[in-house]
Amino acid sequence: MKAQLNYILSTLVMLFFVTGSVQSQNRPDLDLLDRMYNYSSTVDTTSHEFESYTYTKSTFNVKKRNIALLAVPTMYAIAHRVDRRQYLSETFSRVHFYHLDSYDSKPILHFSTIPHQHGTLTRILPYLKPKIYDETIVGNNLLSPFCKTNRKYYKYSVKFLLNGTANITYSPVNDNTQLVKGQAIVDYESGRVISTILDGEFDMVHFSLGMNMGDEGLMSLVPTDVRLNSRFNFLGSRTEANLRTLYGLGKPNIDSIAKNNDIQLMANVRPVPLTIQEQFILDDHIERLKDEEVDSVNRKNRWVKDVLWDKIGDNLLNRIKGTFGMQNQGYLRINPLLNPLYMGYDNHRGFIYKFDIRLNYEFTRNSEINARFNSGYSFKRKQLYYKLPVTYYYNKKRNGYIQAEMGNGNWIKNGNALKAAEEAYIVEHGDSLSIKYPKMIYFKDKYFRITNNYDISKNWSILFGVIFHCRNAVEKYAYQLVGLPDHYTSSAPNIQLQWRPTGWNGMFLTLDYERSFENFLGANIAYERIELDAQQIKRLSRLQALKIRAGAGGYTYKHGPSYFLDYSNFRENYIPGGWNDDWSGGFELLNSDYYNNSKYYVRGNLTYEAPLLLAAHIPWIGHFFEMERLYSSALWAKDIHPYIELGYGFTTRLLSAGVFVNNKNGKFESFGVKMGLELFRHW
C-alpha cells in the first residue's frame, strides 16, 4: 500500500511539472507579446502611392527665461521678447506617399504668432512622425519597446481587458536616455497596437508622446493622431511645448496660392477647435496686431529693435538658414558666428573653433549645385584651415558630378629640401642654418582640385581629374640665402576606381592612382602614387555597428630633394567634425609628421559602436550616455613596425569624449584625450 501511494505521489508531481512546463510555453501574455512584435510583418507594405493632408498645431510657453536661452538654436525669436511668453503655430501640409518610408511633405498654409514666422524648438518636430515598429522610434534614436530585437532592454506587464484588448505596461531594464517607458492598448487577437503613450527624455527634452494608430492595413503601422507634451530646461530657463498632429485628412478648401498667416482662412479649415489656452494666445495676438497698426510713434526705436536686436542678434547667436528662388529651389545655412559650442579639443591641435557655411540650389530633381565653406582654427598650432568644395550634379541618379575644391592643410615637412639647404649653407658659412630658422623644414600647403565622378552602375564608379599643389616654405628667407627654391608646385592627373561588390550597402573598394609630371602646367616636381582602400559599415541590430577600414599605399617614383609625401586615404583630418563625422576609421594619437614621412603605409581600423555598452550601466550618470565605441587601429610604415592604438569613446548630449593609448614598435608611447562639444549639434 505504501509503495502504491509513493507511485501515485510521484506520478502527480511529474504531471505537475510537465503541465507547468507546457503552460509556461503557452502563456497568454508571452503569446500576445510575440503577436505584437510580429504584427508589422503581417501587413502588406509594398508600394501604395497616395496623397493625404496633415494638420499640426503647437503652443510654446516660456515659463522661465534667462540670457542662456539666447544661445539655444531656434529659440532666439522667443527668448528676448519681454512682452510675450506664449506662442501659437498652425500648419496644413500636403503629403505625397510613395511608400511607407518615402514621402514628400509641403506646407500649403501656415500661421504663427512667433516673430518673423520663425520656427522654434524644431528639435521636437520629428517626434510627431514616430515609427513604433522600427528598431528606433524617432530617427536613429529611442529604442522601441514594440520591436522584438529590443526585447532585452525592456520589462513588460500584461493586463487583459474584457473588450478583446490588453493593457501592456513597459519600462526599461536600465535607466538610459535611449529607452522609454509607458503603456499601450493592444488588440488581443492580432497584436496590433491601438494606442500608446511613451515617456522619456532625450537631448535635454523631456517628453510624453501619445498616439492613436490606424485601424487596418498599411495605415495601422502609422499614427492618425499624435499628441506631444514636452519640456526643455537649460541653465535655469524652462520652456514647455504642446503639439498635436492629425494625419490622413481630406483636402481642405484652400487655394494653391493661399496667403500664409491668414488668420481667417486658417479658422475656416481648422479640423479641430482650439483649446481655451490656444484661443487666448490667438486673441492676444490679434489685439497686438491692431495696436501695431494704430501705433506709428517712435519709429526710430522700432528700427533699432527690428534691425539691431531682431536681425543682427538672431544671426550672430543662431544659425542663419532659409530658402530662396521662385519655388524655394535654393537653401542657405550659416552656423552662428558667436556660438562657442562649435569647438573641439585633441592633444595635437589643442582647442579648435569651427565655422561652416552651406549653399544649395536645385535646378531640377536630377541636377543641382552646392557649395560648402568649412573652416577651423587651431589655437595650439595657430593655424587656420579651410576647405571650399563647389559641386555641380549634372546627373544625381548616377551620382554624376563635377567638383572644384580649394583649401589648405597641415604644414607639411620636407626633410630632403632641408638637408640640401643645410649642406649648401655649411659649405659657405660653416654652421647650421636650421638653428637660425627652426621652422624651415615646414611648408604651407595650398591645393586646388577639379574632378568628375560618374556611377557606371550600382557596383562601379569612376572619378578622374587634376590636382594642383603649391607648397611655400614657412621660412622662405632661409632657402633664398642658399639659392634654393622656396616653393614647389605639382600638377597631377589622377583616376579613381571604386568597386562595390554587393552594392551601396556593402563593402567599398577604392583604387587611387596619381601621377605628377615635371613642367606639366607649371609643375617643378614629379611623383607617382598608388593607394588601395577598403571600407565597410556593418549595421547590426539595436543601433549596433561594426566599422571596418583597411588600406595600403605608396610612392613608386619621386623627384629628387623636392619630394613631398601627401596621401589621399592616409592623412590627418585637420577640420574635425562631430561624433559621426570623423570619430571612426582614423588615428587619434599618431603624430602628424608620420603621415608624410614614409614612402609606404599599411593600415587597419576597427570600430564597434553600440548603445548601453559599458558606461550606460553605471547608476545615475549612465542615463546620459547615448552611444559608446571601442576602437582598435594598427599601422605599418617607415620607422614604425607596427603602431597600435586602442581607445574607448562615448557621446552624450553635452560632449563626445574618447581616451586612447598607443604603442609604437612594441613600447608604450602615450595616452591622449579627444573631446568635441555636441550640445545642440542636431538642433
Side-chain angles (χ1 to χ4, degrees):
M1 184 70 180
K2 184 177 180 180
Q4 291 177 341
L5 181 61
N6 289 336
Y7 175 79
I8 293 173
L9 288 174
S10 62
T11 303
L12 289 174
V13 170
M14 184 179 297
L15 287 173
F16 173 80
F17 282 108
V18 170
T19 304
S21 177
V22 172
Q23 288 178 344
S24 67
Q25 294 176 8
N26 295 277
R27 286 173 47 183
D29 54 346
L30 297 182
D31 289 343
L32 177 59
L33 288 177
D34 285 335
R35 289 195 295 274
M36 181 186 72
Y37 293 139
N38 296 324
Y39 176 75
S40 61
S41 64
T42 66
V43 178
D44 179 14
T45 59
T46 54
S47 179
H48 292 275
E49 188 171 351
F50 66 94
E51 193 169 80
S52 181
Y53 292 83
T54 65
Y55 166 77
T56 299
K57 63 175 180 176
S58 53
T59 59
F60 302 93
N61 189 353
V62 184
K63 306 288 285 188
K64 187 177 181 180
R65 59 183 161 206
N66 52 36
I67 193 172
L69 195 59
L70 294 171
V72 179
T74 75
M75 296 292 284
Y76 182 89
I78 66 174
H80 73 279
R81 296 295 298 262
V82 296
D83 59 336
R84 193 182 303 187
R85 288 182 178 270
Q86 295 182 324
Y87 302 88
L88 170 69
S89 293
E90 296 179 274
T91 303
F92 244 108
S93 300
R94 180 192 299 116
V95 184
H96 190 100
F97 282 90
Y98 300 99
H99 53 79
L100 188 62
D101 296 320
S102 177
Y103 57 87
D104 292 327
S105 179
K106 183 178 182 181
I108 58 176
L109 180 62
H110 177 72
F111 165 75
S112 178
T113 66
I114 300 174
H116 310 298
Q117 299 291 294
H118 280 309
T120 192
L121 206 58
T122 54
R123 176 60 172 158
I124 65 177
L125 293 181
Y127 288 76
L128 297 174
K129 306 172 186 176
K131 296 182 178 180
I132 64 171
Y133 291 105
D134 288 359
E135 283 194 357
T136 54
I137 301 171
V138 180
N140 290 322
N141 301 309
L142 303 179
L143 292 161
S144 174
F146 305 105
C147 181
K148 191 172 185 177
T149 57
N150 299 329
R151 189 170 188 167
K152 60 180 286 189
Y153 297 131
Y154 288 98
K155 297 178 291 185
Y156 299 85
S157 175
V158 179
K159 180 180 180 181
F160 294 100
L161 306 178
L162 298 178
N163 58 353
T165 65
N167 186 310
I168 299 179
T169 302
Y170 46 87
S171 59
V173 174
N174 296 100
D175 179 26
N176 184 262
T177 188
Q178 290 278 21
L179 303 175
V180 297
K181 64 180 179 180
Q183 57 184 335
I185 300 298
V186 178
D187 179 69
Y188 176 76
E189 184 176 352
S190 65
R192 175 178 67 89
V193 176
I194 300 172
S195 64
T196 183
I197 298 177
L198 311 111
D199 296 324
E201 183 272 337
F202 188 81
D203 207 2
M204 292 184 294
V205 175
H206 296 260
F207 64 89
S208 178
L209 182 63
M211 69 194 78
N212 295 327
M213 305 296 290
D215 294 329
E216 59 183 1
L218 181 67
M219 301 311 298
S220 66
L221 302 181
V222 294
T224 58
D225 188 352
V226 180
R227 298 172 185 262
L228 173 65
N229 300 319
S230 62
R231 185 178 74 255
F232 169 66
N233 299 329
F234 180 63
L235 297 179
S237 65
R238 180 179 178 182
T239 303
E240 294 181 354
N242 298 309
L243 296 86
R244 183 182 182 185
T245 295
L246 299 174
Y247 292 96
L249 300 177
K251 183 178 180 180
N253 186 21
I254 301 177
D255 192 298
S256 60
I257 56 173
K259 180 182 177 181
N260 274 341
N261 236 32
D262 191 320
I263 298 176
Q264 187 57 50
L265 183 57
M266 182 62 78
N268 293 337
V269 300
R270 187 179 294 129
V272 290
L274 297 178
T275 64
I276 295 176
Q277 180 194 14
E278 293 165 350
Q279 189 64 52
F280 172 80
I281 298 172
L282 178 60
D283 293 342
D284 179 69
H285 177 72
I286 294 174
E287 289 299 319
R288 291 173 184 272
L289 292 178
K290 292 178 180 178
D291 293 340
E292 290 178 0
E293 291 178 359
V294 176
D295 183 17
S296 58
V297 183
N298 206 4
R299 289 293 180 185
K300 180 178 179 181
N301 289 340
R302 287 182 59 83
W303 182 89
V304 171
K305 172 188 174 298
D306 292 341
V307 176
L308 183 61
W309 186 244
D310 287 352
K311 297 293 185 183
I312 297 179
D314 189 11
N315 293 338
L316 287 177
L317 294 173
N318 286 316
R319 291 190 184 102
I320 303 171
K321 59 181 180 179
T323 58
F324 58 91
M326 294 294 293
Q327 298 180 346
N328 294 328
Q329 308 99 313
Y331 177 77
L332 171 68
R333 174 180 142 172
I334 304 175
N335 278 349
L337 300 176
L338 300 182
N339 195 325
L341 303 174
Y342 290 89
M343 299 191 71
Y345 172 84
D346 63 38
N347 292 50
H348 295 311
R349 292 174 291 262
F351 282 99
I352 303 167
Y353 184 83
K354 292 164 282 186
F355 183 65
D356 197 7
I357 300 177
R358 304 186 189 194
L359 180 67
N360 183 82
Y361 190 87
E362 186 178 85
F363 298 104
T364 66
R365 285 180 174 266
N366 198 38
S367 65
E368 68 177 33
I369 187 170
N370 60 60
R372 180 179 185 181
F373 178 71
N374 193 13
S375 63
Y377 181 78
S378 168
F379 288 87
K380 184 176 182 179
R381 296 181 180 176
K382 297 180 180 179
Q383 295 180 24
L384 175 68
Y385 309 109
Y386 68 89
K387 292 189 293 185
L388 177 59
V390 179
T391 309
Y392 169 62
Y393 284 88
Y394 56 85
N395 189 341
K396 291 168 62 176
K397 294 179 180 178
R398 287 289 190 175
N399 199 28
Y401 64 81
I402 297 174
Q403 183 182 79
E405 178 181 338
M406 62 182 298
N408 67 350
N410 291 316
W411 291 358
I412 190 170
K413 285 186 176 181
N414 191 331
N416 289 328
L418 173 66
K419 182 179 178 181
E422 283 277 38
E423 291 175 351
Y425 192 78
I426 289 174
V427 170
E428 186 172 348
H429 300 279
D431 59 354
S432 174
L433 183 63
S434 60
I435 295 178
K436 298 180 180 179
Y437 302 99
K439 294 183 179 179
M440 65 177 295
I441 193 174
Y442 292 105
F443 285 74
K444 297 179 181 179
D445 182 15
K446 295 181 180 179
Y447 69 87
F448 175 78
R449 176 191 295 115
I450 183 166
T451 55
N452 180 84
N453 182 82
Y454 193 82
D455 291 348
I456 302 172
S457 68
K458 70 174 183 178
N459 302 107
W460 288 94
S461 296
I462 184 170
L463 180 146
F464 56 88
V466 180
I467 183 169
F468 305 88
H469 279 276
C470 182
R471 299 178 174 95
N472 294 284
V474 173
E475 305 273 17
K476 290 187 176 182
Y477 186 67
Y479 290 95
Q480 294 170 358
L481 278 177
V482 293
L484 291 176
D486 59 10
H487 70 279
Y488 296 92
T489 60
S490 64
S491 301
N494 56 54
I495 186 170
Q496 179 189 98
L497 290 175
Q498 187 176 93
W499 178 42
R500 300 173 291 273
T502 58
W504 291 104
N505 295 323
M507 180 178 291
F508 286 50
L509 294 171
T510 306
L511 177 66
D512 284 276
Y513 176 79
E514 188 171 293
R515 179 71 159 91
S516 176
F517 300 91
E518 192 174 5
N519 299 322
F520 174 66
L521 298 178
N524 60 1
I525 63 174
Y527 64 83
E528 183 180 63
R529 174 175 55 80
I530 188 169
E531 291 181 76
L532 181 65
D533 192 63
Q535 298 186 49
Q536 183 174 9
I537 299 179
K538 182 70 173 178
R539 300 291 180 187
L540 309 174
S541 62
R542 300 186 296 272
L543 293 180
Q544 299 173 85
L546 193 62
K547 303 183 179 184
I548 308 167
R549 186 173 188 182
Y555 279 75
T556 57
Y557 172 73
K558 69 183 184 72
H559 176 250
S562 59
Y563 179 44
F564 289 90
L565 298 169
D566 191 12
Y567 294 101
S568 292
N569 301 319
F570 176 56
R571 58 190 305 122
E572 185 177 16
N573 186 358
Y574 46 85
I575 311 179
W579 172 264
N580 290 323
D581 292 337
D582 67 332
W583 278 64
S584 182
F587 298 90
E588 305 301 336
L589 301 182
L590 184 65
N591 190 297
S592 60
D593 294 342
Y594 287 116
Y595 290 97
N596 310 113
N597 72 351
S598 177
K599 289 179 58 179
Y600 66 91
Y601 74 88
V602 179
R603 56 92 61 85
N605 306 86
L606 181 66
T607 304
Y608 173 68
E609 178 181 74
L612 295 100
L613 183 61
L614 299 173
H617 297 281
I618 301 175
W620 302 104
I621 66 171
H623 170 82
F624 302 100
F625 285 77
E626 298 174 5
M627 196 68 69
E628 299 174 76
R629 284 181 183 165
L630 299 176
Y631 303 89
S632 176
S633 302
L635 172 69
W636 190 283
K638 179 185 176 183
D639 299 327
I640 42 179
H641 315 294
Y643 172 88
I644 298 175
E645 190 174 283
L646 302 175
Y648 164 79
F650 63 85
T651 182
T652 68
R653 70 196 59 177
L654 177 62
L655 57 83
S656 294
V659 291
F660 300 88
V661 294
N662 60 356
N663 182 294
K664 177 184 173 185
N665 297 330
K667 297 181 180 180
F668 170 79
E669 187 176 49
S670 64
F671 169 87
V673 177
K674 179 178 180 179
M675 290 189 297
L677 288 169
E678 299 287 336
L679 188 62
F680 305 130
R681 181 178 297 277
H682 303 293
W683 282 56

